[in-house]
Amino acid sequence: MKNSFDPYKKKFSENKFWKKISQQVKKIGKKTVYMALLLYYAYRRKDTPLWAKNIILGILGYFISPIDFIPDLTPLLGYTDDAGMLALGLVVISSYINKEVKANAREKLSSWFGDGDDEDLDEIDEEYS
C-alpha cells in the first residue's frame, strides 16, 4: 500500500538523520528533536511492525529532507511543518512507543540539552502514548 510519505522513505538514512539533528539541535528545538527521537527509537524496536516502520521512515525522511512544504531555512517557520509531520507519525504509531523508547530518546536528548525541565516532554509522552 502506497502512502504520501513513500517518496521520502528513500531520503532517510541514519547518518543523515543524526547529522541533521546534531548540527541543528538548538535550532530545531527540544520538543521537535524529542518527537524525532521517539520515532527513531520506535523504528529500531524489533517489535515494531513493517507497516509502522515504513511510516516512520517516510516521516523521518521528510524531516531530514531539505525540500519540504516550508523550507527549514525559513526563519521561525522552517521546522513547524516538520514538527507537524512528526506529531502525525507519533499519533499513527503511538502503540509502539514504550518506556524503553522514551528512555532512549530522553537520554540522547539530555546529552544535547542537559538535564532540566522536562515538562514539555511529559506533555508529548501523555499525548502520544
Side-chain angles (χ1 to χ4, degrees):
M1 181 168 98
K2 227 175 152 148
N3 66 53
S4 58
F5 295 107
D6 279 350
Y8 292 101
K9 286 188 332 191
K10 295 175 186 161
K11 296 183 184 300
F12 178 79
S13 80
E14 289 193 38
N15 288 337
K16 288 179 186 176
F17 174 75
W18 289 116
K19 184 178 179 182
K20 177 169 183 164
I21 286 185
S22 63
Q23 288 180 347
Q24 300 181 27
V25 68
K26 300 292 183 182
K27 190 177 184 183
I28 296 169
K30 191 174 187 177
K31 286 176 76 172
T32 303
V33 170
Y34 183 60
M35 289 190 293
L37 290 171
L38 288 173
L39 287 169
Y40 173 77
Y41 287 115
Y43 169 76
R44 301 286 297 162
R45 280 187 67 200
K46 284 188 247 176
D47 296 344
T48 302
L50 184 59
W51 68 264
K53 287 184 179 199
N54 282 326
I55 289 172
I56 293 168
L57 284 179
I59 289 180
L60 292 180
Y62 180 90
F63 174 68
I64 64 174
S65 175
I67 300 169
D68 52 26
F69 295 126
I70 302 173
D72 295 340
L73 301 174
T74 307
L76 301 175
L77 296 175
Y79 291 103
T80 54
D81 64 319
D82 293 330
M85 292 298 170
L86 293 169
L88 173 65
L90 290 174
V91 168
V92 174
I93 62 102
S94 64
S95 60
Y96 303 102
I97 299 173
N98 62 8
K99 289 180 184 180
E100 182 182 358
V101 168
K102 292 175 190 177
N104 288 337
R106 284 179 183 245
E107 182 180 331
K108 188 64 177 173
L109 201 65
S110 70
S111 72
W112 287 314
F113 290 96
D115 292 327
D117 181 21
D118 288 339
E119 205 171 288
D120 290 345
L121 306 183
D122 294 338
E123 289 175 17
I124 291 170
D125 286 345
E126 288 173 22
E127 192 168 338
Y128 301 109
S129 43

